[in-house]
Amino acid sequence: MSASVLLAASAWPLRVVTAAELPPASAFFENSRFSSPKLSPNGRYLAARVSTPGERDRLSVIKLDDMSVKVAAMFGDADIAYFQWVNDNRLVFNGADRRMTYSDDLHAAGLFAVNRDGSNYRQLSKTDYRQGDEAATGSKMKEKLLDWNHYLLGQPGRQDSDEVYIYKAQFSNNYSEVKNYTLLRLNTVTGHAVPVNSPGQASNWLLDQQGEPRLAINDLGKQHVVYLREGDSWTKLMESEPYIGHAFEPVGFGPDGALYVAARKDSDKTALYRYDVAKRQLAAEPLVGLDNYDYMSDLEDANGDDLIVRDNKLVGIGYSADVRGVAWLDAKGKALQEQIDRLLPGLVNVITLPRHAETPWVLVSSYSDVQPLVYLMYNSETGKLVKVGGQHNAIRADQMGRQELVNYKARDGLSIPALITWPRGTDKKKLPLVMLVHGGPYVHGSDWGWNADAQFLASRGYMVIEPAYRGTVGYGWQHFKAGWKQWGLKMQDDIADGARWAAAQGYADSKRICIAGASYGGYATLMGLVNDGDLYKCGVNWAGVTDIKLMYTGSWSGISDMSDRWLSYGAPMLIGDPERDAAQLNATSPLLQAARIKQPVLLAYGGDDHRVPLYHGEKFLSAVKPSNPGVEWIVYEKEGHGWRLPENRIDFWNRVEQFLNKQIGASR
């Protein structure tokens, strides 16, 4: 279902939301209290992270035949984080502390396991870097723990034993990058871990339908290498340059042993193909292809597998394009989708099947542009639909702004996809506009669906445009490649051309346009104020790069987590070489051009950001403040690259609201 169909199906009357009705920032930026639901392999149980006000996130299990709830695990001083089913009875999980900033959280995630009824709890790895080798397991016996640097592989496997796959990471001296990984098979009852044969260096693995590692990927050296296990030996399947968007991305193995890959064959866009591993050959025709998008996997809130298998047959493929969905390959799946869509009109409804179904229950994740994710259980025999939880429950759909997917032309003719979020109840004329620039920059950005940042701004009366400027992935090879070495140049023009297009259409008030973004989006904000001072009346930059060369040279005053591999092979090719492209990097440095910025600007940084260290913001503040009295400066002392604590997110967006109201206020 396309977003345009959804818009037509769920139109709402024009009605302006009054100031008294405005949802507070907390409704948008509080932590979710129900998340990541996962069906047990047999479909009889649903596990999820759940919390109530004042409590930690706990691991709860719903017995679906009577909808009774049991708390399987919880910590007194931490939250349950990632989890997965080991088998129908047992779960494995790790922890985090969502009440601590990045800087204060000094514990590793750890590994733990428990039965679904809360019995047979076991700690499997250390959480303290200085923790001893032994820990209690619920009895008087002491058992050895794995070191803290062991992590879940994050793939469900066969789910018919007590074992899962984990990996051990070996870090560099400053912990900025991983030097090697070791794959192990871990018994979650005994705690015993056994190394698994791998092809020398590897950074990731892909399990087949039998739960065994069949592919290994090495992204640690100069090349991107994929290995295939045939028998007990590993052979090189393909090799390519790193970081440039591979034309051969493994997705998963089918029940017949075939490999499915995202590949570019006869098109600018990637599609999903069946790959014959014996013949080393792609199928003639794609299994799933999208006209305007690359095929991209959809793993959000699923059980970790894009390939949907029923009765040992491949019946569906999960994907993400303008919306998330499943391409059903059988009549039964298509009929199930139609039944659920009839019950939930105007919503995107993503269905997750249990891996080995013993009941008719399926999980449905529903959302729209105005509706945050809601999770429901659907009984395909009775037609019963039961809501089990949702995200951002304080949000009311009738207060949110509708979204629209558009394309506009950049000045060189390139078509730029963009997502518009409209303020609710407006006539779409002469609106104050915020150009909201995604970070990365070589990521996908936002798709149609409820988004906290954009909806918060729209709720305050602002038209919001999120452009998929060149370099954004998911729109084909040429669109991605057109963004290479275009920081501050054509990538910047794409954003400005979107603002000018909106003004030319009469949607935006040309005198009330602001640019905003985080990370690369923060860099684009500052360069927008430099390049297009006549267009933008203000800027909001949080965690933004202020000088490209600083990413290479760094500073004694902070630690960067940008790996040597990225700085050696990725950044010089995609962003610019600090020596060969020195003149270009100087010309596109907000830090060196700071004196040209006269517009008001809000700057916010994390005091312990290792991706864009604080010195980026401090150096820029020193350079811009002497000639610009309209600078506002915020430091969240112990935060990292973004705001982990909800109170900091709420504080930041309240400040953004006040700043924008002062500069281009919607009430003017």
Side-chain angles (χ1 to χ4, degrees), residues 178-234:
V178 179
K179 292 298 186 181
N180 197 23
Y181 296 88
T182 302
L183 184 67
L184 304 100
R185 185 184 295 110
L186 170 67
N187 187 301
T188 62
V189 173
T190 68
H192 185 57
V194 179
V196 177
N197 176 38
S198 291
Q201 276 196 326
S203 55
N204 200 4
W205 292 264
L206 187 63
L207 306 181
D208 62 17
Q209 289 292 323
Q210 285 69 49
E212 296 300 320
R214 284 286 308 284
L215 276 186
I217 300 169
N218 181 9
D219 272 324
L220 297 172
K222 293 183 179 180
Q223 297 292 307
H224 169 81
V225 187
V226 179
Y227 297 93
L228 174 70
R229 182 176 62 79
E230 297 175 294
D232 293 327
S233 63
W234 292 88

Side-chain angles (χ1 to χ4, degrees), residues 276-571:
D276 189 319
V277 295
K279 296 179 179 179
R280 301 292 198 268
Q281 182 176 304
L282 287 173
E285 298 295 329
L287 192 62
V288 178
L290 304 163
D291 290 339
N292 300 314
Y293 300 89
D294 290 313
Y295 169 83
M296 294 183 293
S297 63
D298 172 41
L299 297 179
E300 184 178 356
D301 294 300
N303 282 340
D305 198 343
D306 284 317
L307 305 183
I308 302 172
V309 176
R310 183 199 302 120
D311 300 328
N312 207 36
K313 293 181 180 179
L314 182 65
V315 298
I317 308 290
Y319 68 88
S320 177
D322 54 341
V323 295
R324 297 169 52 210
V326 175
W328 293 104
L329 307 179
D330 71 335
K332 187 175 181 180
K334 292 176 182 177
L336 178 65
Q337 187 74 59
E338 291 173 358
Q339 293 167 8
I340 292 172
D341 287 343
R342 281 196 297 269
L343 292 172
L344 300 169
L347 296 171
V348 176
N349 303 303
V350 184
I351 301 170
T352 302
L353 303 181
R355 292 177 67 85
H356 311 292
E358 296 178 2
T359 74
W361 289 104
V362 299
L363 173 65
V364 182
S365 304
S366 295
Y367 72 93
S368 76
D369 52 347
V370 298
Q371 174 62 62
L373 270 168
V374 174
Y375 304 104
L376 308 102
M377 296 305 304
Y378 176 70
N379 189 306
S380 59
E381 291 181 355
T382 66
K384 185 178 182 180
L385 195 63
V386 180
K387 179 181 176 181
V388 291
Q391 297 183 3
H392 302 285
N393 291 329
I395 291 295
R396 285 173 41 189
D398 64 358
Q399 295 179 330
M400 297 294 102
R402 284 293 179 185
Q403 291 182 324
E404 181 180 357
L405 295 167
V406 300
N407 285 78
Y408 60 84
K409 292 289 186 181
R411 65 193 67 179
D412 65 356
L414 185 68
S415 180
I416 306 299
L419 182 65
I420 298 177
T421 305
W422 299 98
R424 184 177 180 82
T426 63
D427 57 6
K428 300 183 180 180
K429 294 180 180 178
K430 295 291 184 180
L431 297 169
L433 167 64
V434 176
M435 296 298 295
L436 187 59
V437 186
H438 72 73
Y442 305 110
V443 298
H444 185 59
S446 295
D447 285 319
W448 189 91
W450 191 88
N451 173 276
D453 296 1
Q455 285 289 359
F456 176 75
L457 293 171
S459 74
R460 270 53 185 172
Y462 300 99
M463 174 189 182
V464 181
I465 296 181
E466 298 175 81
Y469 49 81
R470 68 191 70 202
T472 302
V473 303
Y475 300 93
W477 172 253
Q478 293 304 320
H479 192 84
F480 168 59
K481 190 175 181 181
W484 294 11
K485 292 190 178 183
Q486 292 301 311
W487 284 43
L489 301 172
K490 290 184 178 180
M491 290 167 73
Q492 201 68 48
D493 293 343
D494 293 346
I495 302 164
D497 291 345
R500 292 193 168 97
W501 167 84
Q505 299 298 311
Y507 301 144
D509 183 344
S510 62
K511 297 180 180 179
R512 293 191 292 163
I513 300 175
C514 187
I515 183 170
S519 197
Y520 168 81
Y523 166 88
T525 292
L526 299 180
M527 279 308 301
L529 299 178
V530 171
N531 290 357
D532 299 288
D534 62 328
L535 177 65
Y536 301 117
K537 307 308 174 187
C538 60
V540 180
N541 152 37
W542 64 107
V545 172
T546 63
D547 182 85
I548 295 173
K549 290 186 295 183
L550 276 179
M551 295 193 297
Y552 294 97
T553 60
S555 169
W556 60 268
S557 62
I559 299 173
S560 172
D561 66 2
M562 292 190 184
S563 71
D564 292 340
R565 184 175 186 264
W566 163 247
L567 295 176
S568 297
Y569 307 119

